[in-house]
Amino acid sequence: MTFQLDELPLLSRSTVEREEGLRVDAARQVELWRDGRVLGVDKYGRTPIRSGGTELVYQDTTGDEPPADVVLLGEEKGVGYWATLVSSPEQEPAIDWRSWQEIGKADGEHWLDLRAAGSFLDATSAGLFTTAVALLTWHRRARFCANCGTAVDRVKAGWATQCPGCGREEYPRTDPAVICLVHDRDGADGSQVLLARQPIWPKGRYSVLAGFVEAGESLEACVAREICEEVGVDVADIRYLGSQPWPFPRSLMLGFAASADVTQPTRLADGEIEEAHWVSRDVLREAIAAEADGREFWLGLPGPTSIARQMLESWATVR
């Protein structure tokens, strides 16, 4: 049996229409604004989410037409969804997804980012929040023309900028990154998986390997290069699994699987990888079960919002 992702990655879910024609249709934008919903996102990439809910907290639109500082996220059933940068309480201690599990049924609202809230949101909310963070982060980082340095104007409902000085038009940038589950060559998908830990991660937290695609490089070549560079292992049988936007700040994670010989010695990239281990499928299943039960276990896993977690859970179900 060859494993695939069991479901769509959580931040890849979306239900709203992202029709390009809407972005240049000023009359339709006015219609969508009048009865629309606005998602406020702060500079930390957080939005207020009501405890106990799986949907976002929206602001009502004001005025007869959309102001220049909002972006159009899309339309669903005649309702326009927008986003804008808002001020918020000073940066509070980060709430991770485990904490949100505990406090999520309490009253009140909390400012959460995608890492904390992504796995709890419904498909509509997840798609809107992901798109809002990606677009607003791009606007914050691309305020000046890369050609002449002039401050740019937002056009196409926030999906592009145009320089009033030289006329240059620019669109949101996405950086492709590969993420690969490496398994051994015992059967179609093996019985062991290669997991590694970066020095900046909490002790005991492991994940699959990932890295950015370089200029002039194919995705498959990037998989082979990154794994060799990070842990010194040569891989084969590279195949695509799925993708997920990861707007931290502007990545697209492209998931792959590959096989390797477990007898190869590992060679860890100095400063990037602190530990790397081959882990059996049974141990991985135990780690997943321990987390679900709230038990301590030596092997910590990536959070449920990430495609890395879905790759591991999908591989763990193979019999």
Side-chain angles (χ1 to χ4, degrees):
M1 176 180 178
T2 300
F3 92 97
Q4 301 290 337
L5 295 183
D6 290 338
E7 58 184 17
L8 194 67
L10 295 178
L11 298 190
S12 296
R13 298 172 299 154
S14 183
T15 62
V16 300
E17 294 289 336
R18 297 164 57 114
E19 183 184 347
E20 185 176 4
L22 285 177
R23 302 169 191 172
V24 294
D25 188 340
R28 182 63 178 142
Q29 289 172 30
V30 169
E31 293 177 6
L32 293 174
W33 175 255
R34 287 173 181 163
D35 296 313
R37 299 177 180 179
V38 181
L39 181 64
V41 179
D42 71 5
K43 64 182 180 180
Y44 305 110
R46 305 175 305 171
T47 195
I49 297 179
R50 187 172 294 109
S51 299
T54 60
E55 296 182 357
L56 305 171
V57 176
Y58 299 100
Q59 305 171 14
D60 293 329
T61 58
T62 58
D64 294 328
E65 59 184 40
D69 62 350
V70 300
V71 296
L72 176 60
L73 302 177
E75 174 190 4
E76 183 175 45
K77 298 178 181 178
V79 176
Y81 290 90
W82 307 78
T84 189
L85 184 67
V86 296
S87 59
S88 66
E90 287 300 313
Q91 177 73 318
E92 302 168 350
I95 299 176
D96 65 16
W97 67 273
R98 293 179 180 84
S99 300
W100 184 240
Q101 278 185 315
E102 299 299 322
I103 67 176
K105 295 181 180 179
D107 293 333
E109 295 177 0
H110 297 270
W111 287 82
L112 301 180
D113 65 14
L114 273 170
R115 289 183 176 91
S119 62
F120 299 98
L121 296 174
D122 60 26
T124 298
S125 298
L128 290 169
F129 195 8
T130 302
T131 304
V133 170
L135 278 175
L136 294 174
T137 301
W138 172 65
H139 280 297
R140 287 181 54 229
R141 292 167 173 254
R143 293 177 295 164
F144 299 94
C145 177
N147 183 50
C148 70
T150 302
V152 297
D153 298 323
R154 295 187 187 185
V155 296
K156 298 185 178 179
W159 285 87
T161 61
Q162 189 165 45
C163 175
C166 66
R168 183 178 187 271
E169 199 168 71
E170 188 168 344
Y171 294 83
R173 173 179 167 183
T174 298
D175 295 337
V178 300
I179 183 164
C180 185
L181 185 149
V182 180
H183 57 78
D184 67 294
R185 291 177 184 156
D186 178 18
D189 290 307
S191 58
Q192 298 183 76
V193 62
L194 182 58
L195 300 181
R197 190 176 77 81
Q198 295 183 16
I200 61 173
W201 291 353
K203 203 70 177 176
R205 178 73 55 80
Y206 295 86
S207 186
V208 294
L209 296 160
F212 286 102
V213 182
E214 293 185 344
E217 184 176 48
S218 71
L219 299 177
E220 293 80 4
C222 181
V223 168
R225 175 184 58 78
E226 282 288 348
I227 293 171
C228 186
E229 287 179 354
E230 292 192 349
V231 294
V233 171
D234 294 324
V235 297
D237 309 315
I238 299 170
R239 61 186 179 84
Y240 176 72
L241 296 174
S243 67
Q244 174 175 276
W246 195 247
F248 308 112
R250 56 186 180 218
S251 296
L252 175 65
M253 305 301 295
L254 299 145
F256 288 85
S259 67
D261 183 350
V262 297
T263 64
Q264 294 182 75
T266 56
R267 183 184 66 255
L268 307 186
D270 187 36
E272 292 189 39
I273 303 296
E274 191 165 276
E275 299 177 65
H277 304 285
W278 286 99
V279 176
S280 72
R281 184 175 276 113
D282 287 340
V283 168
L284 179 59
R285 289 169 178 163
E286 188 175 352
I288 295 170
E291 185 178 276
D293 297 337
R295 294 183 284 110
E296 292 291 331
F297 193 67
W298 70 268
L299 178 65
L301 301 174
T305 303
S306 68
I307 190 175
R309 178 57 173 267
Q310 289 179 283
M311 292 164 68
L312 287 168
E313 289 189 347
S314 297
W315 183 81
T317 61
V318 174
R319 298 292 177 182

